[in-house]
Amino acid sequence: MNTRNAYKIRASRVSSPLNKAPVGMAQSSALPQAKSSYSSKQDYDIGAKTPMDLNTVCDTMPERSCRHPLTNMRQNAHLARCEESIKVRFDSITPTLKKLANLQHENDFVSKANSITSKELGFNFPTELLETAWVDGLDMKALYAKAVFNALNSSVAQFSDDLGRNEDLRVDAGSFFLDCGYHSVDITPCSDGRLKGLAKYILRLPLSAITVRNSYAGALFNVESNVRDWEKIELDRLRNGKVLDDGNSYLKIVVYHRSGSDPSHQGCAAHGSNDKVSAEAGLEKLTEFREAIENTYCCGSAIDILLIGVDTDNDSIRVHVPDSAGNISVHRYVDTSQLYNETLSMSIDQARVKLYNAIDICSDSSGWAQGDGRPHEGMRKVVANLLEYNLSQIEYVADLYGGIYPDIGHAERYISVGDGFQEIQLRNIAYFAHLDTVEEGSADLDIGIKIFTGLNLNKGLPAPIAIHYRYDSKVPGSRKRLIEKCYRVKNAILNRYKTLGENNNLFFQISIQDLPLGSSLEIISEEA
Ligand code: ZN
């Protein structure tokens, strides 16, 4: 991360006319800052104000001084601070361990090591990992894994705290979706680490407003399991006295990804870095899911589907606009990187009108992209808001990284197995393998191990694997059964990757959490 700009994004003032576009974007003139369209509360509570916080956020890069009119700068500042504080925890690990390596044979090493780690990492390693260093040398793999898990756990606490302070956003977003005709929103992205910040950063949706969130390699979700999610939600509505034919629908979104600058290498590994295959596979799953509900429950209007593609180089999105029948084409979409350019020099109102026009023009496409008319008004509003929020993320990437991430490929810090740490929303922080059993999730796990072979194993570092599941405290025995499942999964992973385990290249942390978002993290064990 460009730390200098992370500081500057929240610290600097408007000091000159705005007249330059970000790298790769169009030229424009100065325009006022806009707030998000569905709520004035879109601005996050950024906590205690410091003199730096009170400054206007702008003018963040020497080579860049334009502002898109629809950018939520206050939210961007909050997200920059969040990203910086999380990444620094992980990025400090290797330099700190190198310092310890240089000191390990000195007198009073334990005390010196504690002094360094408490300053650099914010915690001390267990004494037993340090005190025999003068005899056998430090177990760097164990220290590395311990530090990664510590950074992970403190990140969960930080994101949970952030969630707790943004209850208003959840209510606002829930009302917005209901106003658009959706009682529940279900998102399945690819489990690629570059989509880990999807809700909070790329789509700017409060995590707690999304009813179902599960990631799968290639976004290839389990249709049967997803049907059970839908059934549970409909049953809850019935039990809570909701009218099931109230006209509100369930919105299922699949998010695939691609790389604009290196499409044949840095796209989705699960689909051979082929954009078209990634989009078609996502659409096929969406269609299967909708058909499964319709065939089982004869309720044609119960499900709306939406397909979104993310360019992981700059976080711009392609929203594949459904037609009047709710059908989607991989060829029919609105692209925010193009819209960003086209609306950069407009007023706030002009830009918003342009977004709606873009949706209509897209709907009226001919040829391969032709559909059957325009989507209903609720879907138009959802698409328009997704487009608008994403413009803030394009601006964010332009501010902090000059318009394209330096790590366009993989840079995950750990492998997350199980239900995942849903509170943590940050790009490239983890590779996520969603699985109930290792047998079912072996394809996802294999991709994760392949990624970490390049990231860690080839450099002599281990692969830290965080096994994490959520239990339901309302269900008697759920917690105990889940802990047993964690150990089953760990043993199955060790069995599948025997050589890696025997060579001390796999380290595990087992943790659980109660179902509600923001629940306390319970560490069950941490071991090789
Ligand atoms: Zn992928």
Side-chain angles (χ1 to χ4, degrees):
M1 181 181 186
N2 187 333
T3 305
R4 176 177 59 84
N5 285 321
Y7 280 111
K8 290 185 75 176
I9 193 174
R10 65 175 191 264
S12 55
R13 293 175 182 277
V14 179
S15 57
S16 59
L18 308 179
N19 56 12
K20 280 180 68 181
V23 177
M25 298 291 182
Q27 301 261 319
S28 181
S29 58
L31 288 163
Q33 172 183 334
K35 282 184 181 268
S36 173
S37 64
Y38 78 68
S39 171
S40 60
K41 292 173 183 169
Q42 184 72 13
D43 287 348
Y44 284 80
D45 172 12
I46 59 170
K49 302 289 188 296
T50 67
M52 286 174 79
D53 292 325
L54 293 172
N55 288 341
T56 304
V57 178
C58 207
D59 192 23
T60 56
M61 296 184 72
E63 68 273 26
R64 168 144 205 280
S65 52
C66 71
R67 284 284 159 253
H68 192 282
L70 295 177
T71 297
N72 186 331
M73 292 306 299
R74 187 178 162 89
Q75 187 184 49
N76 276 11
H78 172 81
L79 292 174
R81 186 165 52 240
C82 181
E83 177 177 353
E84 182 188 11
S85 64
I86 298 295
K87 283 193 171 170
V88 78
R89 290 192 178 114
F90 289 94
D91 293 345
S92 304
I93 293 172
T94 302
T96 303
L97 291 182
K98 284 180 179 173
K99 284 184 189 173
L100 298 195
N102 290 332
L103 296 172
Q104 60 184 308
H105 298 297
E106 291 191 6
N107 290 332
D108 202 17
F109 169 66
V110 174
S111 153
K112 285 177 182 168
N114 284 340
S115 169
I116 291 170
T117 56
S118 61
K119 182 179 168 208
E120 305 289 335
L121 302 177
F123 73 99
N124 290 335
F125 287 115
T127 305
E128 60 267 25
L129 282 178
L130 302 176
E131 61 190 1
T132 58
W134 68 277
V135 183
D136 300 324
L138 285 169
D139 183 349
M140 281 300 175
K141 289 182 179 179
L143 293 177
Y144 177 83
K146 176 81 184 165
V148 167
F149 292 137
N150 194 80
L152 160 63
N153 299 340
S154 55
S155 302
V156 173
Q158 180 177 331
F159 276 101
S160 295
D161 181 56
D162 202 42
L163 269 174
R165 286 188 286 110
N166 289 295
E167 174 63 13
D168 286 352
L169 292 176
R170 183 190 69 77
V171 174
D172 284 349
S175 301
F176 167 74
F177 281 120
L178 204 55
D179 189 43
C180 294
Y182 299 110
H183 59 75
S184 303
V185 178
D186 171 342
I187 297 187
T188 296
C190 176
S191 50
D192 189 290
R194 291 168 291 180
L195 295 186
K196 187 74 178 101
L198 179 73
K200 193 178 181 79
Y201 284 80
I202 299 172
L203 301 181
R204 303 293 174 104
L205 294 174
L207 192 62
S208 48
I210 301 167
T211 323
V212 179
R213 309 160 288 272
N214 283 318
S215 305
Y216 292 86
L220 299 175
F221 64 91
N222 181 310
V223 174
E224 286 83 359
S225 167
N226 216 153
V227 169
R228 288 195 292 276
D229 291 332
W230 179 86
E231 289 169 340
K232 182 175 182 303
I233 286 165
E234 289 298 324
L235 182 61
D236 281 349
R237 295 180 74 215
L238 189 63
R239 295 285 299 166
N240 290 321
K242 301 269 171 49
V243 181
L244 296 189
D245 58 355
D246 57 4
N248 292 322
S249 305
Y250 182 103
L251 178 59
K252 173 72 191 183
I253 303 173
V254 157
V255 181
Y256 69 92
H257 63 101
R258 63 195 188 88
S259 165
S261 66
D262 193 0
S264 54
H265 297 98
Q266 300 296 349
C268 184
H271 297 297
S273 266
N274 186 317
D275 299 359
K276 189 162 173 288
V277 171
S278 301
E280 286 173 344
L283 179 55
E284 189 179 341
K285 281 286 176 187
L286 282 170
T287 308
E288 285 175 5
F289 177 61
R290 187 172 61 176
E291 284 180 11
I293 300 291
E294 288 174 356
N295 292 344
T296 310
Y297 295 97
C298 305
C299 41
S301 63
I303 301 281
D304 268 7
I305 56 175
L306 189 60
L307 181 67
I308 297 174
V310 174
D311 182 342
T312 52
D313 293 357
N314 58 16
D315 283 350
S316 64
I317 59 173
R318 285 178 175 175
V319 182
H320 293 257
V321 181
D323 66 12
S324 62
N327 293 323
I328 290 171
S329 163
V330 295
H331 304 287
R332 188 176 63 251
Y333 56 80
V334 180
D335 192 319
T336 53
S337 63
Q338 186 182 339
L339 270 181
Y340 182 96
N341 288 336
E342 293 172 356
T343 52
L344 192 56
S345 59
M346 293 181 175
S347 69
I348 293 170
D349 289 342
Q350 285 172 336
R352 288 201 172 120
V353 169
K354 176 76 179 176
L355 298 187
Y356 274 93
N357 285 344
I359 296 169
D360 291 341
I361 291 168
C362 175
S363 297
D364 298 340
S365 300
S366 57
W368 286 97
Q370 185 166 350
D372 182 13
R374 299 177 179 181
H376 61 77
E377 192 53 31
M379 177 58 82
R380 278 179 88 231
K381 279 171 70 176
V382 168
V383 172
N385 276 273
L386 288 172
L387 296 173
E388 177 173 335
Y389 298 156
N390 182 249
L391 295 176
S392 287
Q393 182 62 12
I394 292 176
E395 188 96 347
Y396 180 89
V397 178
D399 271 336
L400 267 66
Y401 301 105
I404 183 167
Y405 285 109
D407 52 342
I408 62 167
H410 291 282
E412 291 93 335
R413 273 70 171 180
Y414 60 93
I415 298 176
S416 177
V417 170
D419 292 332
F421 300 90
Q422 293 180 346
E423 287 82 356
I424 295 186
Q425 289 278 313
L426 193 60
R427 184 182 187 275
N428 250 345
I429 204 75
Y431 174 82
F432 178 46
H434 175 85
L435 53 83
D436 276 326
T437 66
V438 169
E439 291 75 21
E440 283 179 12
S442 57
D444 287 17
L445 261 181
D446 288 349
I447 290 173
I449 292 294
K450 184 180 169 193
I451 289 169
F452 270 77
T453 299
L455 289 176
N456 282 19
L457 302 177
N458 289 346
K459 297 171 188 167
L461 293 171
I465 300 178
I467 299 174
H468 180 75
Y469 284 95
R470 298 190 95 109
Y471 64 93
D472 188 348
S473 58
K474 293 183 213 150
V475 179
S478 167
R479 186 177 183 280
K480 180 171 177 288
R481 285 191 293 276
L482 206 61
I483 292 172
E484 291 166 0
K485 176 176 178 172
C486 289
Y487 283 105
R488 266 202 312 278
V489 167
K490 180 191 164 186
N491 290 334
I493 293 173
L494 281 171
N495 200 37
R496 185 172 182 84
Y497 308 104
K498 268 198 182 77
T499 309
L500 290 179
E502 286 165 3
N503 291 332
N504 210 26
N505 279 324
L506 300 180
F507 281 76
F508 295 86
Q509 174 180 276
I510 292 177
S511 60
I512 57 173
Q513 228 176 336
D514 197 1
L515 217 45
L517 273 175
S519 300
S520 302
L521 185 65
E522 303 173 43
I523 308 299
I524 304 302
S525 85
E526 190 184 295
E527 54 199 275

